[in-house]
Amino acid sequence: MGKVTGFLEIDRQVHKYQPASDRIRHFREFTLPMSDKEVEKQAARCMDCGIPYCHGPTGCPVHNQIPDWNDLVYNGDWDNAIRNLHSTNNFPEFTGRICPAPCEEACTLNLEDIPVAIKTIEQAIADKAYETGHIRPYPPEKKTGKRVAVIGSGPAGMAAAQQLGRAGHDVHVYERESRPGGLMRYGIPDFKIEKHYIDRRIEQMQGEGVSFHCGVNVGVDKPVAELLAEYDAVLYCGGSETPRPANIPGDDLDGVHDAMPYLVQQNKRVGGEPIQSVAWPSQPIVAGGQHVVVVGGGDTASDCVGTAFRQGAVRVTQLDIRPQPPEKEDKLSVWPYWATKMRTSSSQAEGAEREFQVATLEFIGEDGALTGVKCCEVDEKRKPIAGTEFVIRADLAFIAIGFAGPATVGPVSELGGQMKIAIDSRRSNNVEANDRDYKTSVEKLYAAGDVRRGQSLVVWAIREGRQAARSIDEALMGSSVLPR
């Protein structure tokens, strides 16, 4: 907790944004950081609430000890605040930027719509860690002689690799793309998280003994069977990237694309890489001067909106089949859980036109090219309402309705064909493994992150990577000092 009466004396403040007219002119982060003194005042608002739901199962998946580091920040002890935060979260600079902050939804002060600015404080602590030299290698005192391979270098793979490396194991991370980071690097736009933060963590991990092998598509270039033969344990953290099929007539028209290839292309441009790769073959997709329609109401759809504006789109319309949520939730029936209420992302606030309770009926085109999107209103059961059809002009359309499991070409195809790995058909054909030991049905093979649980948040991936690392360390050594 912070100051006992802080929540009564200090108003909630979060970091501000650059004006939309300025930030759409670049792909850099656009948050305006607060001063240390301002952050300390916000930390002082953490009240003595008795049961801190913010870091319980309803709040933070990695169980950040939020009241503890709020109190440390309030008292100006930034060094111990950083140590405390790192004890539960390997990469707070990631979550402080791109986590939707369920911890703030679970904050007791959210009952009055004035939760502690936890996400802002977390980002400030993480950024302070860079300034004060806390982001440096912490190599193990001794090596165990055990070798572990990690497939995939997204947040789950990175978290597991760092934990296992610090436990003394010889860790090798295999990444299909030319640089580590997974879809955190290639799927999330730079205006939400600049990629030098990932680079800095990779340098730290390399200093701790972790090896990265990029440009290796496991299951294609290198069989999983080889890894299982070469290493004492293999952890599969391949993510969830197969688009959920929309089955909308006309989706084969030029100008209709799944969201992820579009986002990956732009991230590669910003990173100075060729836009095409084995995993994401595509012709250039640019929204400059175009009328854009985004089908879907989630984070990926919002990222498409912000990217299109920065590329110079004339108009961006976002279609959501769900009804428009209420401006304010019923606190007593929802709190401390994540509430369904009207939320406007920074990208949507840049000028998107949002249509709720609308179904996409058909993509319309001329001479094979997209010209419009035919829509209609739907009832509470998402059934079309006759006579409500309308057409939105569109030169580009992006389908962002979620993901249906891991990539079909790669480890899953090899494991399914040769080793008959168990697949959880109830959860989008993810690899089956429990959340206690993360073991798959294949000997020595573990799975964590979105490839196991389905599409989810970065903070959940970090949690699963950390817990899988603990399970692997325990299996290899008989016991483990890694936190679960």
Side-chain angles (χ1 to χ4, degrees), residues 310-390:
R310 283 160 180 76
Q311 290 182 344
V314 173
R315 177 185 179 190
V316 181
T317 305
Q318 186 176 359
L319 307 179
D320 195 333
I321 199 169
R322 299 170 296 183
Q324 182 169 337
E327 290 291 334
K328 182 177 170 62
E329 74 274 30
D330 178 3
K331 297 290 186 183
L332 295 182
S333 66
V334 179
W335 183 87
Y337 297 96
W338 184 262
T340 299
K341 61 183 176 182
M342 188 65 176
R343 303 174 192 270
T344 301
S345 72
S346 59
S347 293
Q348 291 163 341
E350 291 162 1
E353 298 181 26
R354 302 171 71 183
E355 296 279 356
F356 289 96
Q357 210 160 344
V358 166
T360 305
L361 299 178
E362 181 184 1
F363 295 112
I364 302 171
E366 293 180 5
D367 300 324
L370 178 72
T371 59
V373 180
K374 184 178 180 181
C375 311
C376 75
E377 297 176 13
V378 297
D379 60 21
E380 64 276 3
K381 295 183 179 180
R382 300 187 178 183
K383 301 296 183 183
I385 299 174
T388 64
E389 296 84 358
F390 60 97

Side-chain angles (χ1 to χ4, degrees), residues 75-343:
N75 286 291
D77 191 353
W78 289 80
D79 283 354
N80 278 319
I82 292 163
R83 292 188 182 93
N84 187 300
L85 183 50
H86 275 147
S87 72
T88 57
N89 186 351
N90 296 66
F91 314 119
E93 67 275 25
F94 300 169
T95 52
R97 284 171 166 79
I98 58 179
C99 183
C103 52
E104 293 191 17
E105 291 288 305
C107 177
T108 301
L109 285 174
N110 190 41
L111 286 167
E112 297 293 331
D113 290 314
I114 50 170
V116 175
I118 300 169
K119 182 177 177 180
T120 294
I121 298 167
E122 180 178 18
Q123 180 179 335
I125 296 172
D127 291 348
K128 175 70 76 173
Y130 282 91
E131 296 175 16
T132 55
H134 281 269
I135 311 298
R136 62 178 187 272
Y138 294 93
E141 294 182 0
K142 61 180 181 179
K143 288 287 192 177
T144 64
K146 302 292 185 180
R147 304 179 76 231
V148 181
V150 178
I151 304 170
S153 65
M158 285 181 64
Q162 183 163 65
Q163 293 295 94
L164 289 165
R166 289 177 173 177
H169 304 305
D170 182 18
V171 182
H172 293 257
V173 181
Y174 291 86
E175 169 56 45
R176 179 188 62 195
E177 294 291 339
S178 58
R179 297 177 185 174
L183 288 184
M184 189 167 56
R185 177 186 293 276
Y186 293 107
I188 299 175
D190 281 64
F191 57 79
K192 291 176 72 172
I193 179 170
E194 294 180 6
K195 304 312 184 289
H196 62 83
Y197 292 106
I198 300 174
D199 296 334
R200 183 73 177 264
R201 285 295 184 180
I202 298 303
E203 291 175 8
Q204 179 194 38
M205 293 167 65
Q206 288 172 328
E208 294 168 351
V210 177
S211 300
F212 289 86
H213 307 273
C214 293
V216 181
N217 193 354
V218 174
V220 177
D221 304 329
K222 187 177 182 65
V224 181
E226 281 188 19
L227 295 180
L228 291 168
E230 295 172 10
Y231 292 90
D232 297 293
V234 177
L235 175 61
Y236 182 24
C237 298
S240 179
E241 61 186 48
T242 299
R244 183 173 290 128
N247 299 318
I248 301 172
D251 60 5
D252 57 343
L253 289 169
D254 289 341
V256 181
H257 307 274
D258 287 315
M260 198 49 66
Y262 173 59
L263 296 175
V264 170
Q265 272 195 20
Q266 185 55 40
N267 282 336
K268 283 177 173 284
R269 287 190 192 97
V270 174
E273 296 185 59
I275 64 171
Q276 293 186 334
S277 67
V278 174
W280 305 101
S282 181
Q283 295 301 312
I285 312 168
V286 181
Q290 307 289 299
H291 288 71
V292 177
V293 171
V294 181
V295 180
D299 290 337
T300 302
S302 182
D303 292 344
C304 288
V305 170
T307 300
F309 278 131
R310 283 160 180 76
Q311 290 182 344
V314 173
R315 177 185 179 190
V316 181
T317 305
Q318 186 176 359
L319 307 179
D320 195 333
I321 199 169
R322 299 170 296 183
Q324 182 169 337
E327 290 291 334
K328 182 177 170 62
E329 74 274 30
D330 178 3
K331 297 290 186 183
L332 295 182
S333 66
V334 179
W335 183 87
Y337 297 96
W338 184 262
T340 299
K341 61 183 176 182
M342 188 65 176
R343 303 174 192 270

